[in-house]
Amino acid sequence: NDGNPLCSEFPRAPLERAAVGRSSMPLLTFVARVNDGMLLVASMEHTLMGQSDGQETLDVYKSQAKQIFKRLNPRSVAKMSIDSGSFTFHYMIQLGICYLTLCDKGYPKRLAFLYLDEIHNEFVNHLTEIEEKKARDEGRQTQDWDRQIDLVERPYAYIKFDKTIKKKGKDFANPNSRSNTGRLSEDLHDIHNIMKKNINEVLKRGEGLESMAEVSKKLQSESSNFKWGAKKVSLMAQWQQYAPLVAVGGVVFVVLLLKYFL
């Protein structure tokens, strides 16, 4: 993974000052491989650069984003929103790739996930075009685009895709534009079930971003182990209670057997 891990006390950005004058558009967008957090693309808007602490603020959020990627695994929940100060991270996992963006907390959640969905579609098209061109140049059949992702060995391997991300970011900049209100009215996805956490839950406590199904399975397993342990203790207590009586009964039986039958 790229970048230094955050220390135990995570730095807090000067949000009150940096937030002044920010735009509604996604401030940063990262694309990363889920199984190891390898960054494939990083795209940042410079909305906060004009503020006195703008660079510091974005550096904090970039670091937090990388920490989020480190906590992902194949069992992670597919969609999540993570509040951090005056902003919110939204991420979506598709086919082993995580698409993450940082928006103003007031930016419509539904529109943020529509943006990520379009980034996913454009990225797949980008990878497909690369593979088709490479296959033509090498005179071979094309391979699945996801195989390219598995073979990536260095960060930011698809940094040229940043141009597409910036173009999409402009399309989604104004939530009240005609195109975006149209997107919202046509979208039928239910976003109410998307998990929401605070950045401290994810980073400071070191919690994994596992799905509720995985958490439920773990709780069921722990509950079963507890029940069996409790049952085992109960059986041992009963054995200790009745073992002397069984021993005495055995002795009496042997004495009677010897006396009357032998």
Side-chain angles (χ1 to χ4, degrees):
N1 286 334
D2 183 53
N4 295 326
L6 293 177
C7 60
S8 59
E9 279 298 323
F10 297 98
R12 294 184 180 277
L15 296 175
E16 290 77 16
R17 284 172 287 173
V20 178
R22 64 177 180 258
S23 80
S24 296
M25 68 190 305
L27 298 175
L28 63 81
T29 301
F30 285 175
V31 180
R33 192 165 56 193
V34 170
N35 60 4
D36 60 0
M38 172 78 77
L39 277 172
L40 305 173
V41 189
S43 179
M44 285 156 285
E45 294 299 332
H46 303 290
T47 310
L48 303 181
M49 294 301 182
Q51 307 300 323
S52 59
D53 297 312
Q55 180 61 57
E56 178 187 352
T57 302
L58 278 182
D59 286 344
V60 169
Y61 286 119
K62 285 161 58 180
S63 187
Q64 288 180 349
K66 292 170 186 176
Q67 290 294 305
I68 291 172
F69 286 134
K70 287 181 180 180
R71 283 158 174 78
L72 294 176
N73 60 65
R75 300 182 303 278
S76 296
V77 62
K79 292 182 179 180
M80 184 180 289
S81 296
I82 303 171
D83 288 336
S84 180
S86 299
F87 300 90
T88 300
F89 288 102
H90 303 282
Y91 82 70
M92 176 186 75
I93 296 176
Q94 289 275 18
L95 302 174
I97 301 176
C98 181
Y99 305 86
L100 177 145
T101 190
L102 177 73
C103 301
D104 184 297
K105 190 172 285 187
Y107 192 83
K109 183 176 180 180
R110 185 184 298 275
L111 196 61
F113 281 101
L114 286 173
Y115 165 74
L116 292 176
D117 195 51
E118 291 203 15
I119 294 298
H120 162 68
N121 292 333
E122 292 289 344
F123 190 54
V124 170
N125 291 337
H126 180 70
L127 294 176
T128 302
E129 290 175 2
I130 291 175
E131 171 58 20
E132 288 176 350
K133 183 179 184 303
K134 190 175 181 181
R136 285 195 303 269
D137 294 342
E138 297 177 357
R140 59 170 175 80
Q141 292 184 339
T142 57
Q143 298 177 340
D144 293 337
W145 63 265
D146 53 344
R147 178 170 170 75
Q148 298 179 53
I149 300 300
D150 294 336
L151 298 176
V152 171
E153 297 180 350
R154 59 182 177 85
Y156 308 109
Y158 299 100
I159 195 61
K160 292 182 179 180
F161 186 69
D162 169 59
K163 294 180 180 179
T164 302
I165 293 177
K166 279 185 165 54
K167 182 179 178 181
K168 282 293 176 185
K170 292 178 181 178
D171 292 342
F172 281 80
N174 182 6
N176 297 318
S177 69
R178 180 177 297 181
S179 60
N180 285 328
T181 53
R183 286 186 175 100
L184 289 172
S185 64
E186 293 173 3
D187 180 54
L188 300 177
H189 292 92
D190 182 13
I191 64 167
H192 298 293
N193 293 327
I194 294 177
M195 189 182 295
K196 187 174 184 178
K197 286 192 175 185
N198 183 274
I199 193 68
N200 289 330
E201 292 182 79
V202 177
L203 300 186
K204 197 167 185 177
R205 298 180 185 176
E207 295 180 356
L209 300 176
E210 295 180 328
S211 68
M212 293 304 293
E214 290 295 327
V215 173
S216 177
K217 287 181 181 178
K218 286 185 177 181
L219 291 175
Q220 289 178 1
S221 176
E222 292 174 0
S223 176
S224 298
N225 292 336
F226 176 78
K227 288 179 180 178
W228 166 241
K231 186 176 181 180
K232 189 175 180 180
V233 171
S234 177
L235 290 174
M236 290 178 65
Q238 290 180 12
W239 169 251
Q240 291 176 354
Q241 180 180 356
Y242 295 110
L245 296 177
V246 172
V248 171
V251 172
V252 172
F253 176 76
V254 171
V255 171
L256 293 175
L257 182 66
L258 292 173
K259 183 176 181 178
Y260 293 103
F261 297 97
L262 296 178

